[in-house]
Amino acid sequence: SDRGCVRPNNEDYFISKPEEGIFVLADGMGGANAGETASKLSAERLRDFLLHPPERDGTDLLKQAFFAAHEAVREAAKKDPALEGMGTTLLVARDLGDARLQIGSVGDSRAYLCTKGELSLITHDQSWVVEVGARLGISKQDLRKHPMRHVLTMAVGAADELRVHSHIVELGTGDQVLLCSDGLHG
């Protein structure tokens, strides 16, 4: 993880718990207040929810965990004006057993599957570039430089609504999964 060249602090937060089968990456929104707080709070709340769910396991459990993380960030912001407007991307890989992973995401942090040396994107960015710019017919080359290229259309804690993308990935022998923030894929 690296803070990069723009901001004085690193707003990324990750949890890697192979023994629990949970891998989480959060990237705080750099243009908003307390992105580092939002990323840590959401990642830890999501992990805790998955480890100690109010009901038994199921694929809907992942979405419920995202909603719990979203609510935790929003509640913290309501209680402390210094945290108002904070938000974060949130990405998780959860081991379901039988060589299957459940991938959940909000924002533009990504998961890739590496099979036989080839990377393929698992997640779908919730960003202005993907959800608006591409539909307007703006070329990929122009979108790479567009002033709205870093604008998220969805983030944990940022709005009332939360849309969670979820995928089940079947892993083959030797397959690897990469979780990364826009600091790497950008």
Side-chain angles (χ1 to χ4, degrees), residues 52-123:
H52 308 288
E55 53 190 61
R56 288 315 313 150
D57 199 5
T59 54
D60 257 354
L61 181 65
L62 189 67
K63 286 187 179 182
Q64 293 171 24
F66 270 86
F67 290 125
H70 181 65
E71 190 58 33
V73 171
R74 291 182 56 80
E75 283 299 313
K78 283 180 191 173
K79 290 177 184 173
D80 184 349
L83 303 178
E84 187 177 342
M86 70 176 172
T88 185
T89 69
L90 190 56
L91 175 65
V92 65
R94 175 177 166 236
D95 185 359
L96 298 176
D98 298 323
R100 297 178 319 135
L101 282 180
Q102 185 177 26
I103 307 291
S105 67
V106 169
D108 67 351
S109 290
R110 294 180 179 177
Y112 291 90
L113 176 64
C114 182
T115 301
K116 297 178 183 170
E118 295 290 323
L119 280 179
S120 58
L121 183 61
I122 298 169
T123 55

Side-chain angles (χ1 to χ4, degrees), residues 120-142:
S120 58
L121 183 61
I122 298 169
T123 55
H124 174 80
D125 288 357
Q126 292 171 312
S127 67
W128 186 90
V129 165
V130 171
E131 295 184 355
V132 179
R135 290 183 186 160
L136 293 174
I138 301 172
S139 72
K140 285 185 179 185
Q141 183 178 356
D142 288 341

